[in-house]
Amino acid sequence: MIVGAGPAGLVLGNVLRAADVGCVILERQARVHVEQRGRAGFLAPAGVRVLDEHGLAGGLLAKGQSHGTCAFRGEHGQFELNYGELGQREVHTVYPQQFLVTDLIAEFLDRGGDIRFGTTVTGMHGLDGDSPSVDCLGPDGDAYRLSGAYVAGCDGQRGAALRALPDGAARSFRRYHGVTWLALLAQAPPSMEAVTYAVHDRGFAGHMARTATVTRFYLQVPRGEDPGEWSDARIWDELGTRMRTEEYGPLREGPILERTTVDLSSAVSVPMQYGRLFLAGDSAGLISPSAAKGANLAIMTARTLAAALTDALTRDDERGLVGYSDACLPRIWHAQEFSHWMIDLLHGPAGDGEDAVFLRRLQRARLLSLRDRRSHQDHFAENYVGI
Ligand code: RFL
């Protein structure tokens, strides 16, 4: 039983189906909802390779765009890093998450998979025994219980899996990084080639291409900000100021399709399992979107779990399941470390207090080191694209 049809649950389900392992995916939302939910866009080469190896990369290889440059703007001026030529010389593939999810659902159904949309898992039982079960509430309010050999919790931080963990079964390391973003999707073509990070006294602003007609922008805002307070005009005005459009040229504007706030936070569950419940994707390790790692980690953890479950169910070999957490956690912590470093690189504290000014000077020194030192650039590129 797989709870959740995001990248983690769908990769897991597809790899299991390819190995002829029976599974059912239970998804709270309607199909149309998950196929339109815009989130990630930047996929790392390791994630793309995993998808490709399992016959899941057709859409993204055909329609995704290669992306290998990022730019930093600030009072220091602007510099660009061609990270596709640095470090391991690898690039991202830009392919909106909702397209990937759409492809993965179609493929899962093609592989004879059973996916139940509009079905909320409300509870889990017998996780420490041989036959765990989950309570489901179907689209017509029909309640039923399903049992199976294992449960995969791929239902994010607010899902049923984390709630089902008994006290003390896993330790959750959580942290709010003190930064909140207004995450925006604009019906507008990208304004520049590169992912652009703008560091400004008024707060961070970011620009990331999604498709030829849709662009993601971010604006740092105070925690608890109401996105409804941000009219289209106010958003474009603030983006223009922080992105220094007077110096670097105007942004291509269009209607704002989506505005939500995201508290930049992390959570890591150690271990990523309890009895016959295994966590993958955001439920195991939530990561702030500052370095675009979340969907990639979801793919990697799902792949590792799929291999371990296949061994257990087809060869009676449970070593992969026993070692599942240890196999995944180093990568998760590594990604957390880089993502945390990116937060410090992009956000300075506001105000004229001694501490705030000191930290902003450190931030500037970090940016200049990245601008000027090749060894620093190589290290950045390896971590930015690698996972
Ligand atoms: P998901 O995608 O949240 O899917 C979980 C699914 O579980 C369902 N669910 C339940 N179903 C049944 N019963 C229940 N009780 C349930 N509770 C929940 C939900 O409806 C949902 O469909 O988790 P998954 O699969 O672990 O995938 C994680 C990724 O979605 C996430 O890490 C990324 O989107 C993060 N992220 C990015 N990652 C990247 O790798 N590159 C990026 O460029 C990138 N940009 C982003 C991002 C996340 C963002 N937000 C919204 C925080 C940009 C943003 C703004």
Side-chain angles (χ1 to χ4, degrees):
M1 293 164 292
I2 300 172
V3 190
L10 289 164
V11 168
L12 175 60
N14 270 294
V15 179
L16 290 177
R17 283 305 307 142
D20 237 1
V21 173
C23 59
V24 52
I25 301 183
L26 306 160
E27 167 57 50
R28 181 175 56 184
Q29 302 288 355
R31 179 171 181 176
V32 57
H33 179 95
V34 292
E35 290 187 343
Q36 285 175 7
R37 195 168 47 191
R39 284 186 175 174
F42 275 64
L43 295 172
V48 171
R49 274 195 293 275
V50 166
L51 293 170
D52 197 22
E53 275 163 20
H54 293 93
L56 302 171
L60 80 91
L61 292 177
K63 289 178 267 164
Q65 303 284 322
S66 292
H67 192 281
T69 49
C70 62
F72 296 86
R73 282 181 189 175
E75 55 173 12
H76 58 272
Q78 169 164 269
F79 66 94
E80 209 166 278
L81 291 184
N82 188 354
Y83 59 84
E85 299 293 323
L86 295 161
Q88 303 289 329
R89 296 187 160 64
E90 294 197 298
V91 295
H92 285 113
T93 302
V94 183
Y95 192 59
Q97 182 168 321
Q98 66 273 28
F99 296 179
L100 177 65
V101 162
T102 301
D103 297 349
L104 293 173
I105 290 171
E107 184 62 33
F108 184 67
L109 292 172
D110 264 9
R111 293 180 186 190
D114 177 1
I115 181 162
R116 303 187 192 176
F117 292 102
T119 299
T120 302
V121 170
T122 54
M124 298 186 179
H125 310 275
L127 297 172
D128 52 356
D130 286 347
S131 180
S133 59
V134 299
D135 289 334
C136 303
L137 191 61
D140 304 319
D142 43 322
Y144 57 97
R145 187 171 282 188
L146 277 180
S147 53
Y150 297 97
V151 183
C154 304
D155 50 351
Q157 281 289 309
R158 298 203 184 99
L162 285 176
R163 281 200 306 274
L165 289 174
D167 281 349
R171 182 157 179 206
S172 179
F173 295 93
R174 294 180 170 275
R175 185 164 199 272
Y176 167 58
H177 299 288
V179 173
T180 297
W181 282 356
L182 184 64
L184 306 157
L185 278 176
Q187 183 74 59
S191 300
M192 36 239 162
E193 271 273 298
V195 168
T196 302
Y197 301 106
V199 174
H200 197 281
D201 283 350
R202 295 175 65 85
F204 165 77
H207 160 282
M208 271 139 234
R210 281 294 185 260
T211 65
T213 54
V214 173
T215 305
R216 192 176 264 303
F217 289 94
Y218 294 112
L219 278 172
Q220 183 183 358
V221 293
R223 193 176 200 188
E225 186 85 338
D226 173 7
E229 295 288 307
W230 286 82
S231 66
D232 285 22
R234 183 177 173 204
I235 287 168
W236 289 114
D237 195 43
E238 193 63 30
L239 282 169
T241 306
R242 297 190 194 179
M243 299 223 112
R244 294 173 157 82
T245 48
E246 277 191 7
E247 244 167 289
Y248 299 110
L251 298 173
R252 300 170 80 174
E253 300 183 8
I256 301 295
L257 303 172
E258 210 177 282
R259 40 163 82 65
T260 49
T261 50
V262 183
D263 288 334
L264 269 53
S265 23
S266 299
V268 182
S269 183
V270 180
M272 294 161 55
Q273 64 190 89
Y274 167 71
R276 290 197 164 218
L277 168 65
F278 294 85
L279 306 173
D282 275 8
S283 72
L286 179 74
I287 187 161
S288 93
S290 55
K293 302 279 187 216
N296 293 286
L297 284 175
I299 293 167
M300 305 307 279
T301 49
R303 188 277 304 260
T304 306
L305 182 56
L309 284 170
T310 305
D311 282 348
L313 287 162
T314 61
R315 282 187 280 281
D316 223 9
D317 176 356
E318 292 205 339
R319 281 175 301 174
L321 287 179
V322 172
Y324 172 62
S325 281
D326 288 345
C328 295
L329 283 168
R331 175 180 280 135
I332 291 176
W333 283 115
H334 186 103
Q336 292 283 0
E337 190 278 325
F338 182 70
S339 175
H340 185 256
W341 179 87
M342 279 289 279
I343 292 173
D344 276 354
L345 183 77
L346 301 176
H347 308 86
D352 291 329
E354 205 168 306
D355 256 12
V357 176
F358 184 86
L359 289 171
R360 284 208 300 277
R361 292 286 152 91
L362 291 188
Q363 180 192 16
R364 187 181 153 89
R366 237 175 250 135
L367 275 166
L368 296 185
S369 165
L370 194 55
R371 183 189 67 186
D372 298 334
R373 291 173 56 208
R374 174 62 197 247
S375 58
H376 196 169
Q377 295 167 357
D378 282 329
H379 180 76
F380 171 83
E382 275 167 30
N383 286 281
Y384 191 57
V385 205
I387 185 132

